Amino acid sequence: MSRLIVVSNRVNPPSEAGVGTSGGLAMALAAALREDRGIWFGWSGQTTESFTGQLSMQKVGGVTVALMDLDEQDRQEYYNGYANKTLWPLFHYRVDLAAYERSFSEGYQRVNVRFAETLLPLIEPDDLIWVQDYHLIPLASELRRRGVKNRIGFFLHIPWPARGIFTTLPRHEELARTLFDYDLVGFQTEDFRDAFADYVAHEGGGGVLGEEATAFGVTTRIGAFPIGIDYAEFVASIDSPQAEAAHARILASANGRKLIVGVDRLDYSKGLEDRFLAYEQFLADNPDQLERVFLLQIATPSRDEVDAYQDIRASLEAVTGRINGEYSTMDWVPIRYVHRSHRRDELAGVYRAADVGLVTPLRDGMNLVAKEFVAAQDGEDPGVLILSRFAGAADQMTEALIVNPFSREEVAEAIRQALAMPLEERVRRWRALSEGVRRDDVVAWREGFVARLEASRSDV
Ligand code: GDG
């Protein structure tokens, strides 16, 4: 079997002790890399005064990790710039927030060249190369330009937007063209794959036939590979002392009140402000529920060097303060807003304690929190998942209460319905959901993608 090289912007394999803090994606990729003596290559997260191109190789949790530093200008133009101020907002339909600055696209290109040149000496003829996410779309082109003939796959973790949105990107054809230097391009859902196919047909002078996409005179293979969580690891973490402690602490502080939980990176795509307003609507519509329920929102700090993230933080704090000011009583606060990161196993305990999981992003590639929430429930007395139709996860998780996150009325009504749902219906919905989350886990995702990539050379 070929060796696997995973390339991503940041590299975060689980450390020996790390079940508590590392993510499911890291766990699943690490397992593959350990099995196949692979390499995980990416940016260290550190910057130096000028770029050195030096590689630091280390073994972390049995995985060979190859890290390079970038320089400060790279961080500003590539990471904070093109990745997080141009592509992220655009691919999440926030054209109003997308910044088009020439220095950003130059920085993006420069860093992709740096990735290619630094990675090049590590590549052996039979390696499979798997590039992750929107930071590195042009990487295959830069590798091909340097003579790399290996099979290279790409997986987009975020949505592929509708054609009318993507075409607002200056020089969008150039970016789209670089995807055709991959042997396989994976999307989270059929919808995103179809949006890409639509773009290709209208803007690339090509079309899609089955799994083959042709545009700009080149053919590649495309497919939907919905990502999952590391189900086994996540379920096991519920029995950890940290999860049990978090669970007990919340139940004690809930004082018999029902718990609605949200866990998200503090990001405008996650729809937190709309969520809070919908919850306020629920309180206004259902006065009998006052003091009987509370919303715990964990908003993990994220990208705080970017203005839009500082703005969303300020406006959320204002909305929380206003709602709490209006509704709180001496011993009840309707929203507990926690702007802090937590251990992964603590989060498992938090989900487990909840009666309702409120997952209402305005746009999301997949949304793993929805899957974690389901995995963490007690099957005898499960909580109810409310899920945005604009999360990729809604495609698979049809037994959730699916809502339009832009409609306060609809989300407020779903909260009411979830809190009132009889045990039998909760169990029935949860069984269907948890079966899917267990089966379509992150290992299935990784194996499905890698197998398709291995096969791709011979048949395109
Ligand atoms: C992107 C796409 C796609 C959250 N707070 C803490 C913490 N988390 C963990 C959650 C979950 C993960 O982070 C978040 O994953 P999501 O899928 O919800 O969202 P993004 O970060 O936006 O991820 C998304 C994903 O890529 C995978 O393809 O699903 O659509 O946007 O696992 O539990 N983990 C720890 N501490 C925290 O405070 N340890």
Side-chain angles (χ1 to χ4, degrees), residues 20-21 88 92 157-158 188 227 263 265 270 300 340-344 347 351 364-369 372:
T21 48
W88 177 274
H92 290 88
H157 289 258
I158 65 176
Q188 297 271 25
I227 196 169
V263 174
R265 275 188 310 99
K270 303 293 182 185
T300 309
R340 184 181 310 163
S341 59
H342 293 75
R343 287 175 57 100
R344 204 171 151 63
L347 292 180
Y351 296 133
D364 219 331
M366 175 56 61
N367 196 295
L368 296 179
V369 168
E372 291 166 358

Side-chain angles (χ1 to χ4, degrees), residues 65 160 176 229-230 256 260 276 304 328 345 348 351 391 398-400 415 424 430 458:
V65 167
W160 182 273
I229 62 167
D230 189 334
I260 304 170
F276 287 8
D304 41 21
S328 294
D345 41 19
Y351 296 133
T398 52
E399 294 295 326
I415 294 174
E424 195 191 333
W430 176 81
S458 51

Side-chain angles (χ1 to χ4, degrees), residues 147-407:
V148 172
K149 302 265 189 293
N150 300 54
R151 277 157 301 175
I152 314 180
F154 177 79
F155 184 76
L156 184 68
H157 289 258
I158 65 176
W160 182 273
R163 175 160 53 97
I165 299 283
F166 184 64
T167 48
T168 63
L169 178 70
R171 300 194 300 176
H172 54 84
E173 308 88 339
E174 282 174 33
L175 188 68
R177 166 67 186 82
T178 63
L179 282 171
F180 287 80
D181 278 322
Y182 290 96
D183 296 290
L184 176 64
V185 176
F187 301 94
Q188 297 271 25
T189 67
E190 292 290 344
D191 269 2
F192 301 147
R193 177 197 171 280
D194 292 349
F196 181 72
D198 180 56
Y199 173 82
V200 157
H202 287 87
E203 301 285 333
V208 172
L209 198 63
E211 294 181 304
E212 285 181 19
T214 304
F216 314 106
V218 205
T219 297
T220 184
R221 187 168 283 278
I222 63 175
F225 299 87
I227 196 169
I229 62 167
D230 189 334
Y231 182 85
E233 177 264 336
F234 202 81
V235 167
S237 77
I238 297 165
D239 294 326
S240 68
Q242 284 80 6
E244 281 176 3
H247 182 253
R249 192 170 161 190
I250 289 177
L251 287 187
S253 79
N255 207 7
R257 294 176 171 122
K258 290 205 165 166
L259 166 60
I260 304 170
V261 79
V263 174
D264 307 77
R265 275 188 310 99
L266 181 47
D267 192 296
Y268 47 81
S269 66
K270 303 293 182 185
L272 297 178
E273 191 169 340
D274 296 86
R275 183 180 306 172
F276 287 8
L277 296 174
Y279 173 66
E280 181 185 31
Q281 180 82 49
F282 160 78
L283 296 176
D285 292 349
N286 300 277
D288 61 310
Q289 293 294 312
L290 297 176
E291 301 192 73
R292 293 202 170 158
V293 55
F294 66 103
L295 169 62
L296 170 63
Q297 176 64 54
I298 294 178
T300 309
S302 182
R303 303 180 194 166
D304 41 21
E305 289 178 23
V306 176
D307 288 350
Y309 289 74
Q310 293 162 13
D311 295 347
I312 176 79
R313 179 177 172 191
S315 60
L316 265 182
E317 284 170 1
V319 171
T320 308
R322 186 181 61 68
I323 297 173
N324 281 344
E326 196 165 324
Y327 284 95
S328 294
T329 59
M330 285 212 281
D331 64 351
W332 174 64
V333 178
I335 302 179
R336 294 188 197 171
Y337 170 75
V338 186
H339 180 237
R340 184 181 310 163
S341 59
H342 293 75
R343 287 175 57 100
R344 204 171 151 63
D345 41 19
E346 278 177 337
L347 292 180
V350 172
Y351 296 133
R352 175 81 163 205
D355 298 284
V356 179
L358 198 47
V359 183
T360 55
L362 306 179
R363 293 281 160 190
D364 219 331
M366 175 56 61
N367 196 295
L368 296 179
V369 168
K371 297 187 172 184
E372 291 166 358
F373 176 80
V374 166
Q377 297 308 302
D378 170 3
E380 309 268 290
D381 185 16
V384 178
L385 175 65
I386 299 176
L387 179 60
S388 163
R389 59 178 294 161
F390 300 117
D395 259 25
Q396 297 167 297
M397 304 182 83
T398 52
E399 294 295 326
L401 295 180
I402 303 291
V403 293
N404 172 2
F406 294 93
S407 165

